Amino acid sequence: MHVSASERGLVRLFAVDLPSDEVEAFREAVTDEDGEIIDWPLGKALGTTDLDEDFVELFNVNDLEGLGLPGYMVQGLGISEHDVMEDVRRLSAQRGWILVVLSSAFGRSEQTLAPHRPLRWLGTYKEEGARVRYEPLPDAGAKGAPLAPPTPEPQRNPYKTVLLAILALPAAALVLGLLFLWGTTP
């Protein structure tokens, strides 16, 4: 079972064929003083050493009262109802412990899984993307209404422009006169 480094949105589902009294030992990772995992039966059963337990779920199907495994997959994991319905009989028949492994559990590292007992692969499903919903416009007047014409830029006051020109002309004449005098004097 290949996991690519770019994998996103996949959910791997496994049955865990263990009695309930052995599940806790299967679930718990043994760490050293530095917090490094030295033994993790769940990781070994998946055939991987690089696994983020924050994206792994292990639960008993009996805990899904009223919802069932197919309902949990659709409502809890975001898998398309169509995809789940293809396997609904097989999924509904599952009893005991279930392991859910999300793509994020692999930390974007490419690896090959080699799951073995007590795990039994049930399927790999794709999370459904967020559906786009188009809400009606809140105001009936906004439907089909033409766009308002753009607001015109404010008009410049022509009197200010003339006033600036009148004041600038004597100043320019003064500067030119000084340059002329400076250039003609020895």
Side-chain angles (χ1 to χ4, degrees):
M1 196 175 288
H2 181 74
V3 177
S4 72
S6 62
E7 179 180 292
R8 297 178 122 194
L10 292 184
V11 177
R12 289 179 175 79
L13 193 66
F14 299 90
V16 182
D17 297 325
L18 282 176
S20 291
D21 60 340
E22 295 179 24
V23 169
E24 196 59 38
F26 177 73
R27 174 190 320 227
E28 293 301 315
V30 178
T31 58
D32 61 13
E33 300 86 34
D34 298 328
E36 295 292 319
I37 295 175
I38 54 175
D39 185 34
W40 190 13
L42 188 151
K44 283 183 179 177
L46 269 174
T48 183
T49 55
D50 188 13
L51 192 67
D52 185 342
E53 62 186 301
D54 290 339
F55 300 99
V56 174
E57 297 179 54
L58 180 62
F59 57 88
N60 195 313
V61 173
N62 295 335
D63 295 339
L64 302 174
E65 297 173 19
L67 189 60
L69 184 56
Y72 175 71
M73 292 172 66
V74 171
Q75 294 178 20
L77 297 173
I79 298 170
S80 163
E81 188 171 355
H82 177 266
D83 293 346
V84 172
M85 287 303 133
E86 290 178 5
D87 298 332
V88 73
R89 284 190 179 145
R90 186 172 52 85
L91 295 170
S92 296
Q94 292 302 311
R95 301 289 174 254
W97 293 87
I98 298 294
L99 176 68
V100 175
V101 183
L102 306 177
S103 290
S104 300
F106 304 109
R108 296 188 181 258
S109 64
E110 186 168 349
Q111 51 189 293
T112 300
L113 304 178
H116 56 82
R117 286 196 53 74
L119 298 180
R120 189 170 27 93
W121 180 68
L122 297 175
T124 301
Y125 300 88
K126 179 142 181 60
E127 294 174 356
E128 189 173 41
R131 292 184 181 161
V132 177
R133 294 189 179 149
Y134 296 98
E135 298 293 328
L137 294 172
D139 184 10
K143 291 182 182 177
L147 295 175
T151 56
E153 289 187 28
Q155 296 278 334
R156 293 189 179 188
N157 187 343
Y159 300 110
K160 283 185 182 177
T161 307
V162 171
L163 181 62
L164 286 174
I166 290 172
L167 293 175
L169 282 175
L174 180 65
V175 169
L176 286 173
L178 288 174
L179 286 173
F180 180 73
L181 289 175
W182 184 60
T184 58
T185 55

